[in-house]
Amino acid sequence: TQENNLEDQNLDKLLKQPVLSVEDLANVFRSGVIPEIVAATLFLAIRMKASDVHLEAEQKTDRIRFRIDGLLHDILRVPAFLHAPLTSRIKILSNLKIDERRVPQDGRFKIKVAGKQYALRVSTLPVADGEKVVMRILDESNQAVSLEELGLWGRSLQVVATAMLEPNGMILITGPTGSG
């Protein structure tokens, strides 16, 4: 595996110690080791069951936010001087152009945490104070669940089960990211 690529690497092995809280993440940020900071941020996001990680540039600080259950939560504010190296690291992992800051870019990469594989879709967007980076976390090890496990029962279960036997048509079910 390439040095700049986390693919097929377990974040547990890249980190000196597990990142179990925001305080642990803040301690990793104080170390100043950019690859470890990115790994620790993703590790904590997955541990907190976040669907997205936002790195937002502001004038004096950067804001790291996690989307959990559809709501953005402020996790940490970090010095603005870390923005460029963090953004560059994420762009390198995602095979994006690190010198292009004026146009939006999209990329992806994969990681492993605790034996589970995750795909990350990365988007960058130019903003007034730099670039905004959003990483969507997708658990690739999710197994198919039964209709009962999704919460269908009684008449609802019967209607859906009957509709699934039809030779044509469609069933639409919606919900927040990661809801099933």
Side-chain angles (χ1 to χ4, degrees):
T1 306
Q2 297 173 341
E3 180 180 314
N4 288 332
N5 195 348
L6 289 176
E7 188 168 346
D8 295 329
Q9 291 188 18
N10 190 334
L11 292 189
D12 302 312
K13 294 177 184 175
L14 288 174
L15 298 171
K16 294 174 184 154
Q17 58 190 22
V19 179
L20 305 175
S21 67
V22 175
E23 292 79 25
D24 292 345
L25 182 60
N27 289 334
V28 174
F29 267 88
R30 284 187 205 98
S31 76
V33 180
I34 298 301
E36 192 173 333
I37 290 171
V38 172
T41 302
L42 294 174
F43 184 92
L44 184 61
I46 289 167
R47 180 167 165 60
M48 294 177 71
K49 299 189 183 324
S51 62
D52 300 278
V53 175
H54 292 243
L55 174 61
E56 300 171 349
E58 295 179 353
Q59 283 184 344
K60 296 180 182 178
T61 61
D62 277 13
R63 184 163 55 166
I64 296 178
R65 303 197 301 169
F66 294 171
R67 184 175 305 279
I68 303 169
D69 293 331
L71 298 174
L72 276 174
H73 298 274
D74 284 357
I75 298 299
L76 199 59
R77 288 198 177 267
V78 298
F81 70 83
L82 287 174
H83 184 77
L86 287 173
T87 302
S88 293
R89 173 68 177 164
I90 294 166
K91 284 181 168 185
I92 289 168
L93 291 170
S94 308
N95 293 317
L96 301 177
K97 296 178 184 173
I98 61 172
D99 59 341
E100 181 59 75
R101 295 179 181 92
R102 295 172 293 146
V103 297
Q105 297 186 70
D106 292 309
R108 61 186 60 219
F109 65 98
K110 294 183 180 189
I111 58 173
K112 282 187 180 177
V113 176
K116 293 175 100 177
Q117 179 134 338
Y118 295 88
L120 285 94
R121 291 193 312 222
V122 178
S123 298
T124 65
L125 183 67
V127 294
D129 296 311
E131 285 181 284
K132 178 178 181 173
V133 178
V134 178
M135 295 180 280
R136 167 66 53 95
I137 302 169
L138 302 165
D139 185 351
E140 291 192 332
S141 63
N142 272 345
Q143 302 295 320
V145 294
S146 69
L147 294 174
E148 292 85 357
E149 290 172 316
L150 285 174
L152 291 174
W153 53 275
R155 174 112 173 93
S156 298
L157 176 61
Q158 182 183 13
V159 167
V160 172
T162 302
M164 287 173 46
L165 297 174
E166 293 295 322
N168 52 29
M170 113 174 92
I171 301 169
L172 297 176
I173 300 175
T174 63
T177 301
S179 65

